[in-house]
Amino acid sequence: MPNAKVLAEKKAIVEDLTEKIKNATAGVIVDYRGITVAEDTALRRECRENNVHYAVVKNTLLRFAFDNLKLGDLDHLLSGTTSLALGDDPVTPARIMADTAKKLDGKFEIKGGFMEGKAVDLDTINKLAAIPPLPILRAQALGTMLAPITGLAVVLKQIAEKKGGGDSGEAVEAAPAAE
């Protein structure tokens, strides 16, 4: 039987993990078996740059944290080597983990995850990962809004050029005639 100090440390780890999961919008559970130190370092750097908390966790401690948050549906994913990526938005952790899984074909496998307090399957995570990053989405939305205005400007310019200089020349000629 473990001593009281070890139990207290594990309880503190579970409480901290529970709090992090509770505050995260989404999380991805990963089997990281077989990745090299360099690959892991690159993954951790990308996670830090994108405000994603990534850590290797013990299955038992993560199971306790999931049970505390009524995410027991994820218990079946907790076998083998397990790491957890948590983020403030549902897309970023899914995208980073999916990109890494593609790069490290077979050595890095997404098991599942959760979003807004509910378990999600691998298919949902892959769909989230396919959503472009926020700056690209903003640029696409802006481009969509500006397209009709740009089209109108092009048409008006063509009409003005077709009339031989447009209204500006006619206005100059009309002014002296009025005097």
Side-chain angles (χ1 to χ4, degrees), residues 1-8 10:
M1 177 148 174
N3 65 23
K5 182 180 177 185
V6 172
L7 285 175
K10 287 184 179 183

Side-chain angles (χ1 to χ4, degrees), residues 44-162:
R44 288 176 186 273
R45 183 180 317 111
E46 185 176 1
C47 287
R48 268 192 311 276
E49 290 169 357
N50 290 288
N51 295 323
V52 173
H53 175 76
Y54 175 79
V56 172
V57 292
K58 289 190 172 208
N59 290 325
T60 306
L61 300 178
L62 189 54
R63 185 173 289 116
F64 283 128
F66 282 159
D67 290 343
N68 289 345
L69 296 169
K70 305 211 181 352
L71 284 169
D73 298 348
L74 299 172
D75 285 352
H76 70 282
L77 301 175
L78 303 178
S79 61
T81 56
T82 303
S83 61
L84 180 66
L86 302 171
D88 293 334
D89 71 285
V91 176
T92 306
R95 184 176 35 82
I96 292 172
M97 296 302 121
D99 289 349
T100 302
K102 286 177 191 168
K103 287 180 208 169
L104 305 176
D105 190 35
K107 295 194 284 184
F108 192 84
E109 182 182 330
I110 297 173
K111 297 180 183 182
F114 63 91
M115 185 171 64
E116 296 179 354
K118 294 186 173 60
V120 295
D121 60 357
L122 182 59
D123 187 45
T124 304
I125 291 171
N126 287 331
K127 286 177 183 175
L128 286 170
I131 297 172
L134 189 58
I136 293 173
L137 284 175
R138 286 181 179 149
Q140 289 173 344
L142 185 60
T144 302
M145 289 186 282
L146 291 177
I149 297 168
T150 304
L152 178 63
V154 168
V155 169
L156 291 175
K157 181 180 179 203
Q158 288 174 348
I159 291 171
E161 289 172 355
K162 196 178 228 183

